[in-house]
Amino acid sequence: MKKIIFTILIASIALCACSQTKNDEADYNFSFEEYKGKYPANWHFFGSSDYLIYPDSTTSHAGKYSAVIEHQDGKATDYKALSFALPHNYEGKLITLSGYIKTENVSDGYAGLWMRIDPEVAFDNMHSRGVEGTTDWTRYEVTLTMNPRKTKQIVIGGLLVGKGKMWLDDLHVTIDGKDIYDAPIYQKPLLPAEKDEEFYNGSNITFPELNEQLINNLELLGKLWGFIKYHHPEVGKGNYNWDYELFRFLPEYLKVNNVTERNKLLVSWIDKYGKVSPCTECKQTPDSAFIKPDLSWVDSKSISPDLINKIRYLYENRHQGEHFYIGMFPNVGNPEFKNENSYSNMPYPDAGFRLLSLFRYWNMIHYFFPAKYLTDKDWNKVLREYIPIFISAQNELEYELAALRLIGDIQDTHANLWGGGNKIAELRGNKYAPFRVQFIENKLVVTDYYNPEYSEDAGLQVGDIITHIERKAVGSIVDSLRIYYPASNDAAMLRDISGDILRSNKESVNIKYESAGLKKQKDLPLYDRNKLKMYHWYKVNKEEKCYKLLDGNIGYVTLASITNNDIPEIKEVFKDTKGIIIDIRNYPSTFVPFALGSYFVADTVPFVKFTQGNVNNPGEFIFRGPNKIPKGKETYQGKLVVLVNEFSQSQAEYTTMAFRAGKNTTIAGSTTAGADGNVSGIVLPGGLRTMISGIGIFYPDGTDTQRVGIVPDVVVRPTINGIKKGEDEVLEKAMDIIKNAMK
């Protein structure tokens, strides 16, 4: 089992390539003669902290030093690996890593070499032929079949799984028998789409005054443009820069006088890219597909039969296989939006690029967002709504706000303007109140001071209620901000708004508030962010252990600071407790669904299944899974209570689902953020960056978690009175649940 787990782990770890620019033998440090501190220069490491890595000057195969990986006695057994990312991709058929290994008392695992060609080209970590026991210096090798065209990086290294000690020295890499220092570097040929730079500095598009017919025409163009992008074989092969093809087509398209002219021009546009051969590999959408491709827009009465036939034929004979613009990430299946230019050289894109931004995003969501069916708005109607908004944006701020509103319409807490929103940040300001506020009992409440020394100047107490800001009621402010705070649900939206609602460019803001039953008003001083000890969502005390024993023989664990090393200690210390409380009102610092989740199940049990898209049939989503929590060596016999709230997002929600599969688990708290699943990045013109939840996350019975979040078994929320008293009412309720379970 250890070997299987390690194979999965090492295959999923992404490593950064080193920065060498030439085949310099000294830079590779394959003989471990150069060190920075106790680690080999230019090498990286990963794995458990229960292992040591250091140089050995007394034992080497060649030169003065060897590299040692050693398990520390008495510590948990796991693995440790050294890694080196080769600086280039190389021409060739076979790549071989060889090296010398010496071992001492290796047990419960093995020592070995490993090599991986990314992404998912080839992999070998000697797991079926690793070195065990005590051995003298012996030469080993691993050989992989190369595929330079598909290779992004090649990573090599040595590893120790289990107990014992290994020495590693005198590594060599050859390609087709030729030393890597002399191997030819692979030069990937540029595709036509990559060579096209005609419109890099501007689209040269000027729009006439918008009217209903022009907006209708642009809506159809946007949908057809995206359809061709993801379906036409010539576009999929990278033979066309599809951004620039839009700009080449638009000038003539803007001149059409009626629907008949429009349809004829669109037919000729499709024909321009050549005859599409019949597809022998295209499969029909299975009846079992959770979501089927949506081509309902093709059935519009204004679209001519000739154009409809062209679209239908292209769908039936669509591109198959590797695609220039879209892929799926290995092992997970969330979309990878490839070869998309962010055009960060133009913070305020011209009108053509602004329309491109809208077209690009709408189609990405239409074909590859797994939760499109959950949006409040009909996504087919959204494109038309935003065409005049994007085209008429008068400056950088208006463009950023338009993009943020569009992003908000997919109602995904993972989606926001994560980069490039400079003018929005300037508008919101860089001065903040010295305290934290949250929405408690639907009121804006002071819950903590970032800097207690500012409390006297601020004049508010924890538990005070702010009712007005700059003479506007808090409720009306929230209503005005909703469209600019993307979120899956209201809980997550209010969480994010609360962080900005007292943010400004001014030195102070006027507030009305209630304190000790009295209504008050004052100018609240604000402070530069760099003067405040602000924290995001929740505090993390890195000086304390992640677990402790509470009164009543109840264990408490926070996942905010948990490490893999803590897990065996938690099991040992808490094995005889009445119950364990796991606090996930935070983001887990370590991935623990399986390592810790298995402690709470009596048998192997499914806890989650997924939907993922299909590059070969854009818009199709099928279920895969379910994933299961394996039964561990021991099962906890007490009660488990898991705490969640609106700060529980993504991995926190996934982890909660794993614990919910336990035999005696109760989830307590309030609804979570409703955004789970691996994220996929999106770039838009103007240097804007956003993300989406890239896969659908469901319970094994098909119950949704996106937008809904993890619904607690026992709903309990903080109260204003509890905040004033400094009580953690959710934690107190969890303790009551455990005590009552023991009666």
Side-chain angles (χ1 to χ4, degrees):
M1 178 60 70
K2 175 71 72 174
K3 296 179 181 180
I4 295 172
I5 292 173
F6 183 76
T7 301
I8 295 170
L9 281 171
I10 202 165
S12 66
I13 294 173
L15 299 167
C16 296
C18 300
S19 59
Q20 291 96 330
T21 57
K22 60 181 181 178
N23 286 0
D24 188 334
E25 184 172 352
D27 289 341
Y28 289 67
N29 195 21
F30 282 172
S31 292
F32 304 105
E33 295 301 300
E34 301 293 330
Y35 282 81
K36 289 185 178 180
K38 60 182 179 179
Y39 300 114
N42 300 325
W43 284 72
H44 300 273
F45 61 90
F46 57 90
S48 171
S49 59
D50 289 332
Y51 293 73
L52 302 175
I53 294 178
Y54 57 89
D56 190 338
S57 61
T58 63
T59 303
S60 65
H61 181 266
K64 296 180 180 179
Y65 297 98
S66 64
V68 176
I69 305 177
E70 181 178 8
H71 175 254
Q72 300 181 74
D73 289 341
K75 296 287 187 176
T77 56
D78 202 341
Y79 75 93
K80 193 77 168 185
L82 278 166
S83 66
F84 181 90
L86 299 182
H88 305 291
N89 186 10
Y90 301 89
E91 296 275 6
K93 296 180 179 179
L94 296 175
I95 181 169
T96 298
L97 166 66
S98 63
Y100 288 83
I101 294 174
K102 174 183 169 71
T103 62
E104 181 179 284
N105 298 327
V106 173
S107 63
D108 297 334
Y110 67 96
L113 304 174
W114 67 274
M115 179 163 54
R116 191 182 74 236
I117 304 177
D118 294 330
E120 289 193 314
V121 175
F123 174 66
D124 186 353
N125 66 358
M126 291 182 61
H127 74 275
S128 62
R129 61 189 191 285
V131 186
E132 301 178 12
T134 299
T135 64
D136 203 354
W137 287 110
T138 305
R139 183 181 181 276
Y140 299 91
E141 67 177 42
V142 293
T143 298
L144 299 178
T145 300
M146 302 176 69
N147 189 335
R149 188 178 66 85
K150 292 186 176 181
T151 297
K152 290 187 177 179
Q153 71 171 359
I154 304 171
V155 191
I156 65 170
L159 63 99
L160 175 64
V161 182
K163 299 177 181 178
K165 180 178 180 180
M166 72 172 290
W167 290 260
L168 183 66
D169 201 4
D170 202 13
L171 302 184
H172 291 274
V173 177
T174 60
I175 295 175
D176 295 337
K178 183 180 294 186
D179 199 288
I180 191 172
Y181 310 119
D182 302 316
I185 296 172
Y186 176 71
Q187 301 293 337
K188 182 180 179 181
L190 290 178
L191 295 169
E194 296 170 303
K195 297 177 183 178
D196 188 350
E197 298 180 347
E198 181 177 351
F199 297 97
Y200 183 74
N201 292 314
S203 70
N204 301 319
I205 300 297
T206 301
F207 289 95
E209 183 177 350
L210 295 178
N211 55 44
E212 184 175 356
Q213 186 56 54
L214 179 54
I215 293 173
N216 288 341
N217 289 350
L218 290 173
E219 178 189 16
L220 177 58
L221 176 62
K223 293 178 178 180
L224 182 59
W225 176 86
F227 173 80
I228 298 173
K229 176 178 182 177
Y230 292 124
H231 292 80
H232 202 293
E234 293 303 310
V235 179
K237 293 174 185 176
N239 287 333
Y240 293 95
N241 182 320
W242 205 238
D243 291 356
Y244 295 171
E245 290 302 304
L246 175 65
F247 301 148
R248 293 186 175 103
F249 180 68
L250 263 172
E252 187 176 1
Y253 189 71
L254 292 173
K255 297 176 184 177
V256 298
N257 295 310
N258 53 58
V259 170
T260 301
E261 285 185 16
R262 179 198 70 184
N263 290 336
K264 287 182 179 179
L265 186 60
L266 291 173
V267 168
S268 66
W269 189 42
I270 296 174
D271 288 341
K272 171 186 174 182
Y273 300 103
K275 183 178 180 180
V276 175
S277 300
C279 178
T280 58
E281 300 176 2
C282 295
K283 298 179 180 179
Q284 289 188 342
T285 304
D287 292 337
S288 60
F290 179 67
I291 301 175
K292 297 177 173 61
D294 178 10
L295 296 178
S296 59
W297 58 273
V298 180
D299 297 325
S300 169
K301 294 180 181 179
S302 68
I303 301 179
S304 66
D306 194 14
L307 180 55
I308 291 174
N309 290 337
K310 289 284 183 183
I311 295 170
R312 295 290 183 191
Y313 179 84
L314 183 53
Y315 173 73
E316 292 167 1
N317 299 281
R318 58 193 176 273
H319 179 79
Q320 298 291 289
E322 185 177 355
H323 196 289
F324 183 73
Y325 285 109
I326 185 67
M328 294 291 170
F329 282 103
N331 303 316
V332 178
N334 55 310
E336 178 187 12
F337 298 107
K338 305 186 297 181
N339 296 303
E340 300 287 4
N341 196 325
S342 68
Y343 304 104
S344 56
N345 60 310
M346 49 176 83
Y348 172 51
D350 65 39
F353 273 98
R354 296 198 300 275
L355 186 68
L356 168 66
S357 180
L358 173 60
F359 283 4
R360 181 189 290 181
Y361 188 81
W362 187 90
N363 282 285
M364 287 174 168
I365 300 303
H366 185 68
Y367 292 108
F368 298 107
F369 181 46
K372 184 187 70 172
Y373 68 99
L374 292 173
T375 60
D376 290 343
K377 289 184 178 180
D378 180 348
W379 192 249
N380 274 310
K381 297 179 180 179
V382 168
L383 181 58
R384 190 182 197 284
E385 174 189 348
Y386 278 91
I387 286 171
I389 297 173
F390 271 71
I391 289 178
S392 64
Q394 295 299 305
N395 50 51
E396 187 178 346
L397 176 60
E398 288 189 13
Y399 169 62
E400 290 178 7
L401 290 172
L404 187 57
R405 284 182 59 185
L406 175 66
I407 291 166
D409 277 348
I410 72 169
Q411 294 172 287
D412 178 5
T413 309
H414 276 142
N416 210 313
L417 209 51
W418 299 115
N422 299 329
K423 294 301 179 183
I424 291 177
E426 290 177 14
L427 177 67
R428 289 174 175 168
N430 194 42
K431 294 184 182 297
Y432 298 80
F435 49 72
R436 177 180 178 81
V437 291
Q438 293 174 252
F439 285 94
I440 308 292
E441 298 184 79
N442 296 316
K443 296 179 180 179
L444 189 65
V445 179
V446 178
T447 58
D448 187 26
Y449 265 89
Y450 299 123
N451 296 59
E453 64 269 25
Y454 295 149
S455 61
E456 186 173 344
D457 288 341
L460 278 76
Q461 305 298 316
V462 170
D464 286 356
I465 302 167
I466 298 174
T467 60
H468 292 74
I469 302 170
E470 297 290 33
R471 296 170 178 80
K472 293 181 180 178
V474 166
S476 66
I477 294 173
V478 169
D479 288 341
S480 69
L481 293 176
R482 284 178 179 272
I483 59 175
Y484 300 114
Y485 282 81
S488 301
N489 53 41
D490 275 0
M493 182 202 64
L494 291 173
R495 175 199 73 188
D496 292 344
I497 288 178
S498 68
D500 284 341
I501 199 166
L502 288 171
R503 180 178 172 183
S504 176
N505 285 308
K506 298 191 295 185
E507 297 295 326
S508 65
V509 292
N510 185 268
I511 63 169
K512 292 181 180 180
Y513 64 102
E514 297 175 4
S515 180
L518 300 176
K519 294 184 178 181
K520 300 183 178 182
Q521 182 173 348
K522 71 168 299 174
D523 289 331
L524 175 70
L526 303 181
Y527 300 84
D528 289 340
R529 186 184 182 97
N530 58 16
K531 292 183 179 179
L532 297 174
K533 299 174 183 177
M534 296 184 71
Y535 55 89
H536 185 59
W537 292 359
Y538 53 87
K539 287 182 178 178
V540 178
N541 190 338
K542 296 182 179 180
E543 303 301 319
E544 294 182 356
K545 275 190 169 293
C546 72
Y547 62 90
K548 60 185 176 182
L549 194 64
L550 304 177
D551 292 341
N553 195 26
I554 296 172
Y556 171 85
V557 182
T558 174
L559 297 194
S561 56
I562 194 171
T563 68
N564 282 320
N565 297 334
D566 293 322
I567 294 175
E569 296 176 12
I570 289 168
K571 293 178 180 179
E572 177 62 29
V573 173
F574 291 164
K575 63 182 179 181
D576 295 322
T577 55
K578 294 179 179 178
I580 296 176
I581 298 169
I582 297 182
D583 195 341
I584 323 184
R585 295 173 294 178
N586 49 57
Y587 192 87
S589 59
T590 299
F591 186 74
V592 300
F594 301 100
L596 187 54
S598 61
Y599 187 47
F600 300 102
V601 297
D603 296 292
T604 297
V605 58
F607 76 101
V608 65
K609 65 179 180 179
F610 315 91
T611 59
Q612 69 177 60
N614 185 355
V615 172
N616 292 327
N617 192 14
E620 173 190 296
F621 288 84
I622 60 171
F623 275 113
R624 62 179 179 84
N627 278 10
K628 299 178 181 180
I629 298 294
K631 182 182 183 301
K633 294 181 180 179
E634 51 190 345
T635 300
Y636 181 66
Q637 298 303 311
K639 178 71 177 176
L640 172 64
V641 180
V642 179
L643 309 185
V644 297
N645 63 7
E646 67 273 18
F647 301 123
S648 309
Q649 179 173 322
S650 196
Q651 187 188 138
E653 295 175 290
Y654 186 83
T655 304
T656 303
M657 294 174 72
F659 289 135
R660 177 165 256 167
K663 68 183 184 70
N664 193 12
T665 302
T666 296
I667 311 298
S670 53
T671 300
T672 61
D676 201 352
N678 296 58
V679 297
S680 295
I682 291 173
V683 295
L684 300 173
L688 305 185
R689 290 187 294 106
T690 183
M691 299 188 302
I692 60 170
S693 300
I695 56 175
I697 304 292
F698 299 78
Y699 287 102
D701 66 359
T703 300
D704 261 307
T705 63
Q706 186 73 12
R707 294 203 64 191
V708 180
I710 306 302
V711 180
D713 302 305
V714 177
V715 176
V716 53
R717 297 182 176 90
T719 66
I720 297 173
N721 189 48
I723 294 294
K724 289 179 179 178
K725 294 179 179 179
E727 297 173 346
D728 187 341
E729 294 160 290
V730 181
L731 178 60
E732 291 173 0
K733 181 64 176 179
M735 296 177 69
D736 288 342
I737 291 171
I738 291 173
K739 292 173 183 176
N740 291 332
M742 303 307 296
K743 292 181 180 179

